[in-house]
Amino acid sequence: MREVAILGIGQIAVDEHWDKSIKELAGTAIIAALSDAQRDSTEALFIGNMLSGILGKQENLGILISDWIGLPGIEAEKIEAACGSGAAAFRAGIIAVGSEEVDSALVVGVEKMTESLPVETTEALATAADADYESSQGLSFVAINALVMQLYLHTYGWKHADFAPFSINAHANAMQNPYARLHEIITEKDYKAARMIAEPINLLDASPTGDGAAAVLLVPADSLINHKKRIIKIVGSASATDSIAIHSRKDPLWLSAAEISARKAYDHAGVGPDDIVFFELHDAFSIMSVLSLEACGFAERGRGPRLGLDEHITVNGKIPITTRGGLKARGHPVGATGIYQIVEAVQQLRGEAVPTQVRDAQIGMTQNIGGSGATIITHILRAE
Amino acid sequence: MREVAILGIGQIAVDEHWDKSIKELAGTAIIAALSDAQRDSTEALFIGNMLSGILGKQENLGILISDWIGLPGIEAEKIEAACGSGAAAFRAGIIAVGSEEVDSALVVGVEKMTESLPVETTEALATAADADYESSQGLSFVAINALVMQLYLHTYGWKHADFAPFSINAHANAMQNPYARLHEIITEKDYKAARMIAEPINLLDASPTGDGAAAVLLVPADSLINHKKRIIKIVGSASATDSIAIHSRKDPLWLSAAEISARKAYDHAGVGPDDIVFFELHDAFSIMSVLSLEACGFAERGRGPRLGLDEHITVNGKIPITTRGGLKARGHPVGATGIYQIVEAVQQLRGEAVPTQVRDAQIGMTQNIGGSGATIITHILRAE
């Protein structure tokens, strides 16, 4: 497969966008990405989205959005892997360009969530779990994650407060990101005092949903020989799955799909965890940050919280994470999240992430998760 | 891109499967395809599905189904392009294997529709249209197609009865297909007497929905050098879009996305319409058969009904269509339809389609449509 590069990026603020329909959200991010790339067209369009059918009574997003942006005729489709839909669509775009089937692919992640009642959104998100064995029993996503976090605290002997640095870091990093949903410094005191949602997960362990869209334009890397900006190449891409239900896993505290997809991505890129300068991980809940860091080789099993307590996850730490706010503070418009992560990684690699710019950010990793660790998609990007 | 071949096929009867959940429907077709291929695994799984979220409160089908078939760990995702989801997933599988990213890909199209009330299904299908401008005005899919058929009759001067041969042929071809939804010979008299649904479309112009699943296993063609069965290669694959809404098109009677995707597929394959021995087209409504035949070069504009009246579309005609019953009689489990078409084309190319076997069936075409001509995906398969 030929090498693929990211030529343009675009995003809108994660927020309540009551004045924009889903095609307008996506269209705005796409126009920004095309403008950044100084292009006016694409051969193919891949949409990452989870909930448009259930919450918006709208499927067929491929043609809906290609038509809206003035490009009817092109190839277009939607890809769904729950909250991992964005990265799944990104990977489809990489393979389409890499295979030489097309010479350009726009990938947009988009989600419109805030027009629905909270109970509707919670029910819609539960469709990522097994309807026969999980959601039909009343298991919501926060409940599933609460069971995992409880087991983690019990098994490895950590206190809930030991997870505070993950949320504090995410909020601090979002302060100067104009696209973030939350702009609010939080302290350990705030974290401890936050309202309980599903014990032990409280409000500050959980990421907020929102309406959002982010887009990237992919092209063959060898078409950029005379390109003036830094060239951002995708050097590792892999997707893996685990059992859909936590109760089916041998070890509910180990993200085996993260381990598999990270290992494949490391192998593709010819690097290891020590070479990764920053990591945009999937902190839908603080426990997920810890499990992801462990499965990807940044911490030993059961030792993940140490990275937070020792300040290794901050922008100036050993392995900076959620450098633009992460799911926790930038927000989690589910099908769009995977593309926000890519856009933010490109900002870091281009040196456009001031004031949360990571030094010597030449190689970065992103990881997007669908379901409770069920589908995990890992990418490694490098600036050249 | 390297050449890709279809090693195994599997399907279940299109029917009311009240005793099977969506993962069981898909799993049964997958096991049949793996068994036909004499394989027990795949590296990747692509699911074509439209309505599982809305009708079944189930998303994340990729991992749901990979887990169910005993292959957690593999890459898996759902692809949605309304009623064209099956072919869109098939094309994703081709590109994944063709790009050398994986050495095998299972593609399954699956839909579970009959547990819902008819009004729920009609509303769910309307999500393929533009929610802002079409479905919100009460336009259902049969209504959209009725407007098109009315305009066609008016513009070109045909009578409704001139469309009868398309439905009669489809029903006749389904009689010996054990996987078909309807096993019932119909006559011109039946066609004329059928209950009106949305003038001029009557019950026998429209395809029935149903629960269904069909699967294929894709592998690199060069891995089959010592293969004992006929090798079925994909020699043309293309996807194109038109404006999502009929009212936005310059000519509502011309399927420009069919024309574009067929032209690309012909070019890939190095053939033209005269070389195509049979054509599994998307006869969701009889008018669509006519528009598809015209846009793909089998009839002049406005002359499509002649192919039916002159018996050119029958198994022994010049361009046999819907040779196993088509959407009209095999049934239209929407996201699965595109894979049923591929499975049936492989049956023809292998010579396993008795008693509706087309003679000298060495090269065949399939075409799957999402929305009212909005997303059209065309494939050309060849036996070697």
Side-chain angles (χ1 to χ4, degrees), chain A residues 252-311:
Chain A
L253 299 181
W254 188 252
L255 293 180
S256 108
E259 182 188 11
I260 296 171
S261 69
R263 192 191 331 117
K264 283 188 181 178
Y266 290 144
D267 288 350
H268 287 186
V271 302
D274 291 346
D275 301 302
I276 302 298
V277 180
F278 65 94
F279 182 19
E280 292 301 335
L281 50 67
H282 191 94
D283 58 325
F285 299 96
S286 53
I287 178 67
M288 291 307 288
S289 296
V290 166
L291 297 184
S292 177
L293 285 162
E294 293 178 10
C296 296
F298 296 102
E300 282 176 44
R301 187 185 289 252
R303 304 287 299 159
R306 203 67 260 158
L307 290 175
L309 295 167
D310 292 346
E311 299 189 0

Side-chain angles (χ1 to χ4, degrees), chain B residues 154-199:
Chain B
H154 171 77
T155 305
Y156 298 119
W158 296 99
K159 298 189 307 292
H160 176 258
D162 296 327
F163 285 72
F166 292 92
S167 300
I168 292 168
N169 174 61
H171 275 259
N173 289 344
M175 287 302 287
Q176 304 290 328
N177 177 1
Y179 302 102
R181 178 102 156 99
L182 304 176
H183 294 111
E184 191 183 353
I185 290 287
I186 62 165
T187 63
E188 189 176 346
K189 192 177 158 198
D190 297 328
Y191 179 83
K192 286 181 176 172
R195 186 159 52 88
M196 190 58 67
I197 307 293
E199 201 178 344

Side-chain angles (χ1 to χ4, degrees), chain B residues 213-291:
Chain B
V216 295
L217 182 69
L218 300 175
V219 297
D222 62 14
S223 70
L224 299 180
I225 292 172
N226 297 316
H227 191 59
K228 295 205 177 68
K229 286 190 194 176
R230 293 185 85 174
I231 296 174
I232 313 300
K233 284 186 188 171
I234 299 120
V235 292
S237 171
S239 176
T241 49
D242 198 344
S243 304
I244 188 166
I246 298 280
H247 65 245
S248 302
R249 298 184 197 156
K250 207 186 291 180
D251 181 355
L253 299 181
W254 189 252
L255 293 180
S256 105
E259 183 187 11
I260 297 171
S261 69
R263 193 193 329 119
K264 283 188 182 178
Y266 290 144
D267 289 350
H268 286 187
V271 301
D274 290 348
D275 302 303
I276 301 299
V277 180
F278 66 93
F279 182 19
E280 293 300 335
L281 50 68
H282 191 94
D283 57 325
F285 299 96
S286 54
I287 179 66
M288 292 306 288
S289 297
V290 167
L291 297 184

Side-chain angles (χ1 to χ4, degrees), chain B residues 8-12 22-42 44-48 61-71 74 76 105-110 212-217 339 343:
Chain B
I9 57 173
Q11 59 184 324
I12 63 170
I22 196 162
K23 62 191 174 203
E24 293 171 289
L25 297 175
T28 308
I30 287 171
I31 287 164
L34 285 171
S35 166
D36 181 53
Q38 299 185 282
R39 295 279 181 103
D40 57 11
S41 187
T42 177
L45 176 65
F46 298 93
I47 318 278
L61 289 189
I63 169 59
L64 182 85
I65 294 170
S66 62
D67 190 9
W68 179 252
I69 60 172
L71 296 175
I74 65 168
L106 252 169
V107 187
V108 62
V110 62
V216 295
L217 182 69
I339 307 297
V343 165

Side-chain angles (χ1 to χ4, degrees), chain B residues 310-342:
Chain B
D310 291 346
E311 297 188 1
H312 290 322
I313 59 168
T314 63
V315 166
N316 297 312
K318 273 192 204 169
I319 181 64
I321 64 170
T322 60
T323 68
R324 307 291 282 162
L327 281 63
K328 177 68 198 79
R330 175 244 296 128
H332 184 27
V334 294
T337 290
I339 307 297
Y340 276 99
Q341 294 176 315
I342 300 293

Side-chain angles (χ1 to χ4, degrees), chain B residues 295-313:
Chain B
C296 297
F298 296 102
E300 282 176 44
R301 185 186 291 250
R303 304 287 298 159
R306 203 68 258 160
L307 290 175
L309 295 168
D310 291 346
E311 297 188 1
H312 290 322
I313 59 168

